[in-house]
Amino acid sequence: MSTHYTSLAIDDPTKLVFGHAPNPFTLRRGMVLGGGLVYPEINFTLPPMLIEAGTMNKVCTEYRQMITGVLKRAAELESPGVLVEFETLPPMTEHPDWGMQIVNILLDAMEEAHAKDGLASALRMTPNDNREMVRPPQMRSGIYWEGMLELFDRSAAAGAELLSIESVGGKELHDDALTMGDMQGSIFGLSVLGARDMKFLWTHIVEIAKRHGVHAAGDTACGFGNTAMVLAEQKMIPRVFAAVVRAVTAVRSLVAYECGAVGPGKDCGYENPILKAITGFPMSMEGKCASCAHFSPMGNLAAACCDTWSNESIQNVKLLGGMAPTMSMEQLIYDCRLMNVALGEGPKEVLKLRDWFVASDDSLDPQAYILRPDCCVQLAQAIISKDTPYTAARHVGLTAIDILRQAHADKSLKLSDRELPWLDTMTDTIQEMPDDENVLAQQVIATTEPGRFLPAEYGLTS
Amino acid sequence: MSTHYTSLAIDDPTKLVFGHAPNPFTLRRGMVLGGGLVYPEINFTLPPMLIEAGTMNKVCTEYRQMITGVLKRAAELESPGVLVEFETLPPMTEHPDWGMQIVNILLDAMEEAHAKDGLASALRMTPNDNREMVRPPQMRSGIYWEGMLELFDRSAAAGAELLSIESVGGKELHDDALTMGDMQGSIFGLSVLGARDMKFLWTHIVEIAKRHGVHAAGDTACGFGNTAMVLAEQKMIPRVFAAVVRAVTAVRSLVAYECGAVGPGKDCGYENPILKAITGFPMSMEGKCASCAHFSPMGNLAAACCDTWSNESIQNVKLLGGMAPTMSMEQLIYDCRLMNVALGEGPKEVLKLRDWFVASDDSLDPQAYILRPDCCVQLAQAIISKDTPYTAARHVGLTAIDILRQAHADKSLKLSDRELPWLDTMTDTIQEMPDDENVLAQQVIATTEPGRFLPAEYGLTS
Amino acid sequence: MANLNALTEFIKSGNRSKATKLTQEALDAGEVPQGILDAMVVGMDVVGERFKCNEIFVPEMLIAARAMKEAMAILEPALVKTGYKPIATAVIGTVQGDLHDIGKNLVSMMWKGASFNVVDLGVNVPAEKFVAAIKEHNATLVGLSALLTTTMPAMQTVMDAIRAEDFVGVKVLIGGAPITQNYADQIGADAFAADAASAVDAARKLLAN
Amino acid sequence: MANLNALTEFIKSGNRSKATKLTQEALDAGEVPQGILDAMVVGMDVVGERFKCNEIFVPEMLIAARAMKEAMAILEPALVKTGYKPIATAVIGTVQGDLHDIGKNLVSMMWKGASFNVVDLGVNVPAEKFVAAIKEHNATLVGLSALLTTTMPAMQTVMDAIRAEDFVGVKVLIGGAPITQNYADQIGADAFAADAASAVDAARKLLAN
Ligand code: B12
Ligand code: B12
Ligand code: SF4
Ligand code: SF4
Ligand SMILES: [Zn+2]
Ligand SMILES: [Zn+2]
Ligand SMILES: [Zn+2]
């Protein structure tokens, strides 16, 4: 049932732009993703408060206030459409009834805004991945797995048109790899454990989407790539390390599309442009408007290839001008308007604005650099040239390092002195890794304290 | 001592762009305002808390945290410079000692960031205008007047390089004019009372600036134009009314430059592009990044002619990614980077990006429309064609109405049905107003309940 | 009866001269004062609804309110004779240190439109002044406005001062851009309203309890 | 003495084999165990400082910490004989419902580097487990981490559970991205620290009181 990509949907970097995807598709209220317009994608969450049976009324009030506020502002600013993402918090997935209460609040408000103001919108449903609530994580069965599938199923039945998740398979080893600066551990977590889990999980999600006539959208290696990015922004780990991890995350996130997802890939997947080049599906991205949720070194560049533009998440607190989610909505709409003006003027103009987004950030940070559209095509090429996620991961990692080395040499990228030695360290590590992923798996199993992860949950035997 | 502008510094709308002002100037740490780069201008304020002797320690801690956070992020993102605005809260102007405590905290942190990270920055000092703490407001003497001047003086001595204020002269009548939809009252408040107060006030501010070798920057008719804008956004008053009020505010704000101010005009003066056309001084603007402080119908268009780009204000609350002021700092820097990339490519590219900013918003809101660069030049022309603020105000008001009528006719601007009749009402009102402002003044004095305002405080005899 | 329908219409359209004239005629014709008042209130309610639905602007609403005010001046003596008391007397003001009053003025105006007797204390109002006004006017409704994050705490001061008295049935409603329901809960205010239109509903609800 | 300077250096550079070898040699040469420990702690302090000044990254710091840990394994028996007790025993964990642990792990690692005895309870830790661990290990320092706005309230639960016992001298330090000093004050925690580096200073300050 799964595709293996051997060619690129976009191999010309000048075609890798915002607003246009080779494989666009239309949502129920007429929004066409990847069809020539960039839409705002809004996400919001609770202020500090407890979620339990006794507070669910208050929880619902918060969500009702948030969705009403953002849709009202979107209608006032005449947004051509809005994608609403509902990323659940753990208790809402654990208790699908609670999650569904909120889903219905959101869908009702969206229906009302459509009826009253003609505002088009669609819901992206992102149950959070609770499978590591038990440690070692139980990936393929148990109450967390079941609650998650139930919530996917019921929300799709209720009207959520896009299904997503930020899955965590492999992260139980990857976290340490990040803090230890261990590239082998990172590649193992992403391309061996992660890719295996993705295949299992996304086969199920695609099946649910098909059953309800909705779209399996995409995943993100957020717990890997964004954790690395945040750690690098906090100066905890080298920026070049985070950049190479980012390149490798594309291998993991690709699996969703191999299983049948059609985009848009989740906002926080900064690896999405690479996946757009491979798959041709529309992608969501986030940058400067997501600084409410985390700082990033590529606030503009992230917009270069987006089809929806997101704020990642903001909690419902009051700012001077109004509620914070409404502020995000307004900011996103203005950013989208700018892109849509350029889109209205044709490909040359789109390319111009895209290149400005890129030039704004690419020389200042290695992760920004490797996400330049031309680099994305190069990385995409590296990935599809290999047969398995593991081989692709090593290859794309080395390719990213080469790109960085080259960029530093020709001075198009500034790297600090303490970053530089890491390029060699990473190259050595990747080159010395066993060619056979099973050999590596057995090595890891042998040297990892038992109870950190369950090989069987990834279809590995120990 | 005061200039009267009779010609435009910029009469070609294609020269009215962001980043370049005919009369740029250089700040102490090398930032050149209006000299080819757009700088972020950051402003922040306290979260809910009391300001009194007993809480001043906590107040100082908040400001220290805010300034440290924003400068750190600006250095990390390698901003070419940062303008910091300190807009005081009432007790800080009433007790200049308190205000100065904070000024010194800000200046120290800025000095440290310069020494440590090479970050250039400058302080804009904006004491708030407390003169209406007594009602009717006492405009030319008394403790509020004195506290304000003392704070200007001491902060300039301490190192604040730009002096600004959001003065309130005339507002005591203008508020009602707004809620009553009374265009005559608005013009009287702005161009008779407001302009007279500005002349008195700015003569003093310019004198203080000269004494300390710093710059009198500029004022804003915020309490007039932005109140109108906020009321229109809340659907309280017609948008066309707010648009015409905006045009008239330019007459009032111009007085600061006539008295010797050199820019950059204050961020929230959406009338600033008109003033840039007249004076050639750099201007600060705010738009989508200021939606934390208030929503607006021109989040992109406002950037068209800016020289610094501001967030207006945000309180020190924690968001998911960090403190809110730091979020604003990051957003501003990315917006500035985009403009600076275009600036680096030359005038044609600047014009292209500017026109995209304009095209993003101009057709959707009358206020956005009249602030198109070509309309700004037209309005500027209307202002300088008259000899007195009052005659200029009536003329620019009528010009704005004409622009709107024309734009509606040729379908470049969408106006709702209930807005349209207001164009005629406003025209009639303005045309029926007496030609002599003294006649109007005597009418107003005669029909206003005593105690609403003191004519003598505006040099008027009753 | 036909007269009173017309009165409702004149209030709606803000026609002062016709509204006052008709009120006088209705009184002369022996209509029950309460009935005349009801006709006016219906008119203002419609105006309030239209405003809520974004069909009219504040200036138009104010014109209706002014017509109502003038007609009321004529009606009031007769009403009082029948023992009529306004639904409630409300005291409203912007708290100490804060000069923002447009929002407060709008609330005040909407309350007047809903036939409350409104005492507006203006801006920069210290706690004692609120307490004194409640006593003096036997107010049962208090409206507090604050627009600055640094004057929000002054609302607490007013609440404390009010709770220190033994007023019976005095309800406090708060509002202003930085205010939230949470904050109202925190300082023990009886309710929060987000805008002028909902301030009327909120006040009616409070007074009904 | 020269030996001990070298030991400091090997800790700093994270040279495990040389650090352990030198520790053994110093012991054999009759150095006072406390003196050997001090040499190590000086090394880790320098590492911590370098990290704070952005001169090194976490992985480099972890390598130093690992060298220290292995050298300590050799030193500990001798230390214990002299009656040595670690500065303090700390219990740390991410509160119930929350799985974020990278930040907590970094704090835990920094505390170990500062010679605290650290008991890491992991993630998703219920209040009772914190209380039990404090009892079991005679801990005087507790670290609570929360990254979700919806698990912040679980910190209050832990605080309540701890305050319900009559522990003497148990100090609670809290942290995590959404946490503020204000929140710490609100739930009665003893302190808040914004990052791992300042978590060491904060802990030392708490324990000194
Ligand atoms: C207009 C305005 C002014 C005008 C005020 C004119 C006036 N007569 O009121 C002027 C220019 C004088 C002014 C001055 C200042 N302002 Co001012 N101002 C504003 C602005 C732009 C709009 C406020 C407004 O009138 N809105 C329209 C009305 C209709 O809306 P509203 O007030 O929210 O009221 C509605 C509801 O809140 C509710 N409501 C209001 N009151 C009540 C009461 C009750 C009982 C109920 C039920 C409901 C209710 O119903 C109303 C109608 O729907 C706001 C920005 C904003 N986003 O709010 C800043 C703002 C409030 N001001 C601000 C500041 C900083 C100031 C100054 C200190 C500026 C300075 N440095 O000089 C001074 C302070 C003066 C003082 N001592 O109070 C900041 C506050 C920052 C902070 N820390 O809190 C704001 C948020 C602007 C900003 N983004 O920075 N301001
Ligand atoms: C990495 C990450 C994850 C990883 C966690 C990996 C791991 N093992 O920890 C994964 C992917 C699993 C994840 C999952 C989820 N996450 Co998450 N995550 C993040 C992210 C991007 C970075 C956190 C991080 O590790 N930072 C790096 C470390 C070093 O920093 P730190 O944690 O702040 O720690 C420092 C200080 O805070 C302090 N500190 C920390 N703890 C302590 C303790 C003490 C005692 C002291 C003194 C100091 C201290 O010192 C540390 C070092 O300096 C944040 C975004 C952000 N801006 O923080 C979101 C974030 C926290 N996650 C969020 C969400 C929503 C989730 C999920 C619910 C997502 C979903 N829908 O599936 C799940 C929830 C899982 C659960 N039940 O807890 C939201 C929270 C929203 C909210 N309402 O609160 C955030 C803010 C992202 C966002 N912008 O929306 N997440
Ligand atoms: S980056 Fe943001 S959206 Fe992605 S998993 Fe992390 S917290 Fe969630
Ligand atoms: S618009 Fe903003 S900055 Fe300007 S006076 Fe009003 S509140 Fe102040
Ligand atoms: Zn995400
Ligand atoms: Zn997201
Ligand atoms: Zn301002």
Side-chain angles (χ1 to χ4, degrees), chain D residues 44-45 48-49 52 61 87 106-116 141 173 193-207:
Chain D
M44 274 310 292
D45 277 353
E49 268 313 305
K52 253 199 225 170
M61 188 165 55
I87 310 186
L106 290 171
V107 173
S108 159
M109 185 205 73
M110 294 290 286
W111 280 358
K112 283 181 192 155
S115 304
F116 297 172
L141 181 62
L173 183 59
D195 53 46
S198 50
V200 174
D201 299 339
R204 284 187 177 146
K205 217 169 119 189
L206 280 184
L207 294 172

mmCIF file of all heavy atoms in Angstrom, chain D residues 44-45 48-49 52 61 87 106-116 141 173 193-207:
data_model
loop_
_atom_site.group_PDB
_atom_site.id
_atom_site.type_symbol
_atom_site.label_atom_id
_atom_site.label_comp_id
_atom_site.label_asym_id
_atom_site.label_seq_id
_atom_site.Cartn_x
_atom_site.Cartn_y
_atom_site.Cartn_z
ATOM 1 N N MET D 44 34.403 21.391 37.622
ATOM 2 C CA MET D 44 33.017 21.458 37.151
ATOM 3 C C MET D 44 32.477 22.882 37.210
ATOM 4 O O MET D 44 31.689 23.287 36.352
ATOM 5 C CB MET D 44 32.108 20.533 37.975
ATOM 6 C CG MET D 44 32.052 19.096 37.502
ATOM 7 S SD MET D 44 31.733 18.857 35.718
ATOM 8 C CE MET D 44 30.044 19.420 35.553
ATOM 9 N N ASP D 45 32.902 23.627 38.215
ATOM 10 C CA ASP D 45 32.446 25.017 38.296
ATOM 11 C C ASP D 45 32.907 25.808 37.075
ATOM 12 O O ASP D 45 32.159 26.595 36.504
ATOM 13 C CB ASP D 45 32.970 25.686 39.580
ATOM 14 C CG ASP D 45 32.080 25.354 40.776
ATOM 15 O OD1 ASP D 45 31.006 24.738 40.570
ATOM 16 O OD2 ASP D 45 32.456 25.698 41.917
ATOM 17 N N GLY D 48 30.839 24.860 34.223
ATOM 18 C CA GLY D 48 29.531 25.517 34.328
ATOM 19 C C GLY D 48 29.612 26.977 33.900
ATOM 20 O O GLY D 48 28.747 27.480 33.172
ATOM 21 N N GLU D 49 30.668 27.643 34.343
ATOM 22 C CA GLU D 49 30.866 29.042 33.970
ATOM 23 C C GLU D 49 31.022 29.195 32.460
ATOM 24 O O GLU D 49 30.438 30.089 31.846
ATOM 25 C CB GLU D 49 32.126 29.600 34.654
ATOM 26 C CG GLU D 49 31.868 30.273 35.979
ATOM 27 C CD GLU D 49 30.696 31.251 35.930
ATOM 28 O OE1 GLU D 49 30.732 32.158 35.078
ATOM 29 O OE2 GLU D 49 29.743 31.078 36.716
ATOM 30 N N LYS D 52 27.790 28.888 30.835
ATOM 31 C CA LYS D 52 27.005 30.106 31.023
ATOM 32 C C LYS D 52 27.446 31.203 30.070
ATOM 33 O O LYS D 52 26.644 31.994 29.591
ATOM 34 C CB LYS D 52 27.193 30.611 32.462
ATOM 35 C CG LYS D 52 25.995 30.399 33.352
ATOM 36 C CD LYS D 52 26.093 31.323 34.564
ATOM 37 C CE LYS D 52 25.760 30.585 35.838
ATOM 38 N NZ LYS D 52 26.048 31.346 37.050
ATOM 39 N N MET D 61 29.732 19.811 28.191
ATOM 40 C CA MET D 61 29.538 19.846 29.634
ATOM 41 C C MET D 61 29.230 18.442 30.153
ATOM 42 O O MET D 61 29.682 18.039 31.221
ATOM 43 C CB MET D 61 28.397 20.809 29.957
ATOM 44 C CG MET D 61 28.236 21.075 31.425
ATOM 45 S SD MET D 61 27.192 22.520 31.726
ATOM 46 C CE MET D 61 25.726 22.099 30.840
ATOM 47 N N ILE D 87 26.492 17.809 49.707
ATOM 48 C CA ILE D 87 25.928 19.093 50.134
ATOM 49 C C ILE D 87 24.455 18.957 50.440
ATOM 50 O O ILE D 87 23.948 19.457 51.423
ATOM 51 C CB ILE D 87 26.080 20.153 49.025
ATOM 52 C CG1 ILE D 87 27.521 20.194 48.524
ATOM 53 C CG2 ILE D 87 25.608 21.508 49.532
ATOM 54 C CD1 ILE D 87 27.794 21.299 47.530
ATOM 55 N N LEU D 106 18.579 18.575 32.186
ATOM 56 C CA LEU D 106 19.720 19.486 32.214
ATOM 57 C C LEU D 106 19.937 20.038 33.620
ATOM 58 O O LEU D 106 21.070 20.135 34.096
ATOM 59 C CB LEU D 106 19.508 20.629 31.216
ATOM 60 C CG LEU D 106 19.595 20.213 29.747
ATOM 61 C CD1 LEU D 106 19.169 21.352 28.844
ATOM 62 C CD2 LEU D 106 21.019 19.768 29.403
ATOM 63 N N VAL D 107 18.850 20.365 34.280
ATOM 64 C CA VAL D 107 18.967 20.861 35.650
ATOM 65 C C VAL D 107 19.582 19.779 36.531
ATOM 66 O O VAL D 107 20.503 20.028 37.316
ATOM 67 C CB VAL D 107 17.583 21.282 36.203
ATOM 68 C CG1 VAL D 107 17.673 21.627 37.678
ATOM 69 C CG2 VAL D 107 17.027 22.453 35.401
ATOM 70 N N SER D 108 19.073 18.583 36.365
ATOM 71 C CA SER D 108 19.548 17.453 37.156
ATOM 72 C C SER D 108 21.058 17.266 36.958
ATOM 73 O O SER D 108 21.831 17.098 37.915
ATOM 74 C CB SER D 108 18.745 16.233 36.711
ATOM 75 O OG SER D 108 19.395 15.059 37.020
ATOM 76 N N MET D 109 21.472 17.358 35.711
ATOM 77 C CA MET D 109 22.883 17.203 35.395
ATOM 78 C C MET D 109 23.726 18.311 36.010
ATOM 79 O O MET D 109 24.790 18.070 36.581
ATOM 80 C CB MET D 109 22.994 17.255 33.875
ATOM 81 C CG MET D 109 24.333 16.991 33.336
ATOM 82 S SD MET D 109 24.367 17.809 31.719
ATOM 83 C CE MET D 109 24.464 19.513 32.196
ATOM 84 N N MET D 110 23.234 19.528 35.960
ATOM 85 C CA MET D 110 23.982 20.644 36.535
ATOM 86 C C MET D 110 24.086 20.488 38.049
ATOM 87 O O MET D 110 25.102 20.809 38.649
ATOM 88 C CB MET D 110 23.295 21.981 36.222
ATOM 89 C CG MET D 110 23.270 22.370 34.766
ATOM 90 S SD MET D 110 24.885 22.811 34.087
ATOM 91 C CE MET D 110 25.134 24.419 34.825
ATOM 92 N N TRP D 111 23.026 20.008 38.654
ATOM 93 C CA TRP D 111 23.049 19.807 40.099
ATOM 94 C C TRP D 111 24.065 18.736 40.477
ATOM 95 O O TRP D 111 24.794 18.867 41.450
ATOM 96 C CB TRP D 111 21.649 19.426 40.611
ATOM 97 C CG TRP D 111 20.745 20.621 40.765
ATOM 98 C CD1 TRP D 111 21.061 21.918 40.543
ATOM 99 C CD2 TRP D 111 19.379 20.599 41.194
ATOM 100 N NE1 TRP D 111 19.970 22.718 40.787
ATOM 101 C CE2 TRP D 111 18.928 21.940 41.191
ATOM 102 C CE3 TRP D 111 18.485 19.599 41.578
ATOM 103 C CZ2 TRP D 111 17.623 22.293 41.566
ATOM 104 C CZ3 TRP D 111 17.187 19.952 41.944
ATOM 105 C CH2 TRP D 111 16.763 21.281 41.936
ATOM 106 N N LYS D 112 24.072 17.681 39.677
ATOM 107 C CA LYS D 112 25.067 16.642 39.953
ATOM 108 C C LYS D 112 26.462 17.227 39.855
ATOM 109 O O LYS D 112 27.333 16.961 40.693
ATOM 110 C CB LYS D 112 24.913 15.482 38.966
ATOM 111 C CG LYS D 112 23.733 14.587 39.304
ATOM 112 C CD LYS D 112 23.621 13.419 38.313
ATOM 113 C CE LYS D 112 22.279 12.710 38.490
ATOM 114 N NZ LYS D 112 21.849 12.014 37.279
ATOM 115 N N GLY D 113 26.684 18.043 38.821
ATOM 116 C CA GLY D 113 27.982 18.687 38.649
ATOM 117 C C GLY D 113 28.356 19.534 39.855
ATOM 118 O O GLY D 113 29.536 19.690 40.173
ATOM 119 N N ALA D 114 27.349 20.083 40.521
ATOM 120 C CA ALA D 114 27.617 20.905 41.702
ATOM 121 C C ALA D 114 27.663 20.066 42.972
ATOM 122 O O ALA D 114 27.548 20.591 44.081
ATOM 123 C CB ALA D 114 26.555 21.993 41.823
ATOM 124 N N SER D 115 27.824 18.729 42.791
ATOM 125 C CA SER D 115 27.952 17.788 43.910
ATOM 126 C C SER D 115 26.721 17.596 44.760
ATOM 127 O O SER D 115 26.827 17.224 45.923
ATOM 128 C CB SER D 115 29.081 18.194 44.866
ATOM 129 O OG SER D 115 30.262 18.322 44.211
ATOM 130 N N PHE D 116 25.553 17.872 44.212
ATOM 131 C CA PHE D 116 24.350 17.459 44.932
ATOM 132 C C PHE D 116 24.126 15.983 44.640
ATOM 133 O O PHE D 116 24.507 15.484 43.587
ATOM 134 C CB PHE D 116 23.102 18.210 44.460
ATOM 135 C CG PHE D 116 23.137 19.691 44.690
ATOM 136 C CD1 PHE D 116 22.154 20.502 44.166
ATOM 137 C CD2 PHE D 116 24.157 20.291 45.428
ATOM 138 C CE1 PHE D 116 22.170 21.871 44.364
ATOM 139 C CE2 PHE D 116 24.181 21.659 45.630
ATOM 140 C CZ PHE D 116 23.186 22.453 45.092
ATOM 141 N N LEU D 141 16.094 19.386 49.026
ATOM 142 C CA LEU D 141 15.847 20.227 47.855
ATOM 143 C C LEU D 141 14.920 19.465 46.909
ATOM 144 O O LEU D 141 15.121 18.273 46.677
ATOM 145 C CB LEU D 141 17.177 20.519 47.152
ATOM 146 C CG LEU D 141 17.143 21.403 45.911
ATOM 147 C CD1 LEU D 141 16.632 22.796 46.257
ATOM 148 C CD2 LEU D 141 18.534 21.481 45.283
ATOM 149 N N LEU D 173 12.182 24.306 44.397
ATOM 150 C CA LEU D 173 12.580 25.175 43.295
ATOM 151 C C LEU D 173 11.812 24.717 42.068
ATOM 152 O O LEU D 173 11.754 23.518 41.788
ATOM 153 C CB LEU D 173 14.084 24.996 43.088
ATOM 154 C CG LEU D 173 14.802 25.832 42.037
ATOM 155 C CD1 LEU D 173 14.646 27.304 42.332
ATOM 156 C CD2 LEU D 173 16.287 25.464 42.023
ATOM 157 N N ALA D 193 13.743 29.270 38.868
ATOM 158 C CA ALA D 193 14.954 29.556 38.099
ATOM 159 C C ALA D 193 14.634 29.411 36.623
ATOM 160 O O ALA D 193 13.909 28.503 36.213
ATOM 161 C CB ALA D 193 16.087 28.617 38.485
ATOM 162 N N ALA D 194 15.191 30.335 35.844
ATOM 163 C CA ALA D 194 14.814 30.415 34.432
ATOM 164 C C ALA D 194 15.550 29.409 33.565
ATOM 165 O O ALA D 194 15.069 29.018 32.516
ATOM 166 C CB ALA D 194 15.049 31.822 33.902
ATOM 167 N N ASP D 195 16.737 28.997 33.999
ATOM 168 C CA ASP D 195 17.448 28.012 33.200
ATOM 169 C C ASP D 195 18.351 27.149 34.079
ATOM 170 O O ASP D 195 18.476 27.374 35.276
ATOM 171 C CB ASP D 195 18.240 28.688 32.072
ATOM 172 C CG ASP D 195 19.131 29.782 32.617
ATOM 173 O OD1 ASP D 195 19.813 29.535 33.637
ATOM 174 O OD2 ASP D 195 19.138 30.882 32.043
ATOM 175 N N ALA D 196 18.955 26.156 33.429
ATOM 176 C CA ALA D 196 19.707 25.170 34.188
ATOM 177 C C ALA D 196 20.882 25.797 34.933
ATOM 178 O O ALA D 196 21.185 25.439 36.071
ATOM 179 C CB ALA D 196 20.185 24.057 33.252
ATOM 180 N N ALA D 197 21.535 26.756 34.282
ATOM 181 C CA ALA D 197 22.698 27.358 34.924
ATOM 182 C C ALA D 197 22.281 28.094 36.189
ATOM 183 O O ALA D 197 22.887 27.921 37.251
ATOM 184 C CB ALA D 197 23.392 28.305 33.943
ATOM 185 N N SER D 198 21.212 28.886 36.081
ATOM 186 C CA SER D 198 20.818 29.626 37.281
ATOM 187 C C SER D 198 20.147 28.716 38.307
ATOM 188 O O SER D 198 19.998 29.091 39.471
ATOM 189 C CB SER D 198 19.943 30.823 36.926
ATOM 190 O OG SER D 198 18.894 30.440 36.090
ATOM 191 N N ALA D 199 19.759 27.498 37.889
ATOM 192 C CA ALA D 199 19.171 26.561 38.841
ATOM 193 C C ALA D 199 20.199 26.162 39.907
ATOM 194 O O ALA D 199 19.848 25.866 41.051
ATOM 195 C CB ALA D 199 18.647 25.323 38.120
ATOM 196 N N VAL D 200 21.475 26.149 39.546
ATOM 197 C CA VAL D 200 22.511 25.815 40.526
ATOM 198 C C VAL D 200 22.651 26.945 41.546
ATOM 199 O O VAL D 200 22.596 26.716 42.756
ATOM 200 C CB VAL D 200 23.860 25.563 39.824
ATOM 201 C CG1 VAL D 200 24.968 25.373 40.845
ATOM 202 C CG2 VAL D 200 23.757 24.344 38.915
ATOM 203 N N ASP D 201 22.789 28.153 41.034
ATOM 204 C CA ASP D 201 22.890 29.298 41.942
ATOM 205 C C ASP D 201 21.686 29.368 42.866
ATOM 206 O O ASP D 201 21.816 29.573 44.079
ATOM 207 C CB ASP D 201 22.961 30.605 41.146
ATOM 208 C CG ASP D 201 24.188 30.638 40.235
ATOM 209 O OD1 ASP D 201 25.142 29.876 40.523
ATOM 210 O OD2 ASP D 201 24.180 31.398 39.253
ATOM 211 N N ALA D 202 20.507 29.202 42.276
ATOM 212 C CA ALA D 202 19.284 29.308 43.059
ATOM 213 C C ALA D 202 19.255 28.243 44.152
ATOM 214 O O ALA D 202 18.886 28.521 45.301
ATOM 215 C CB ALA D 202 18.067 29.175 42.155
ATOM 216 N N ALA D 203 19.660 27.022 43.809
ATOM 217 C CA ALA D 203 19.635 25.935 44.780
ATOM 218 C C ALA D 203 20.620 26.224 45.912
ATOM 219 O O ALA D 203 20.301 26.065 47.097
ATOM 220 C CB ALA D 203 19.983 24.620 44.095
ATOM 221 N N ARG D 204 21.801 26.675 45.543
ATOM 222 C CA ARG D 204 22.803 26.975 46.583
ATOM 223 C C ARG D 204 22.288 28.052 47.521
ATOM 224 O O ARG D 204 22.466 27.964 48.734
ATOM 225 C CB ARG D 204 24.104 27.448 45.920
ATOM 226 C CG ARG D 204 24.897 26.292 45.313
ATOM 227 C CD ARG D 204 26.261 26.763 44.827
ATOM 228 N NE ARG D 204 27.048 25.640 44.322
ATOM 229 C CZ ARG D 204 27.905 25.730 43.302
ATOM 230 N NH1 ARG D 204 28.097 26.900 42.686
ATOM 231 N NH2 ARG D 204 28.580 24.672 42.904
ATOM 232 N N LYS D 205 21.652 29.041 46.945
ATOM 233 C CA LYS D 205 21.148 30.149 47.751
ATOM 234 C C LYS D 205 20.068 29.653 48.713
ATOM 235 O O LYS D 205 20.068 29.979 49.908
ATOM 236 C CB LYS D 205 20.555 31.217 46.827
ATOM 237 C CG LYS D 205 20.816 32.640 47.304
ATOM 238 C CD LYS D 205 20.457 33.648 46.220
ATOM 239 C CE LYS D 205 19.363 34.598 46.691
ATOM 240 N NZ LYS D 205 18.842 35.445 45.622
ATOM 241 N N LEU D 206 19.179 28.805 48.202
ATOM 242 C CA LEU D 206 18.102 28.273 49.043
ATOM 243 C C LEU D 206 18.670 27.477 50.204
ATOM 244 O O LEU D 206 18.219 27.598 51.346
ATOM 245 C CB LEU D 206 17.195 27.351 48.232
ATOM 246 C CG LEU D 206 16.145 27.994 47.333
ATOM 247 C CD1 LEU D 206 15.288 26.910 46.708
ATOM 248 C CD2 LEU D 206 15.286 28.966 48.136
ATOM 249 N N LEU D 207 19.677 26.651 49.888
ATOM 250 C CA LEU D 207 20.203 25.758 50.918
ATOM 251 C C LEU D 207 21.029 26.527 51.938
ATOM 252 O O LEU D 207 21.156 26.104 53.088
ATOM 253 C CB LEU D 207 21.037 24.650 50.271
ATOM 254 C CG LEU D 207 20.202 23.706 49.392
ATOM 255 C CD1 LEU D 207 21.092 22.751 48.627
ATOM 256 C CD2 LEU D 207 19.182 22.939 50.233
#
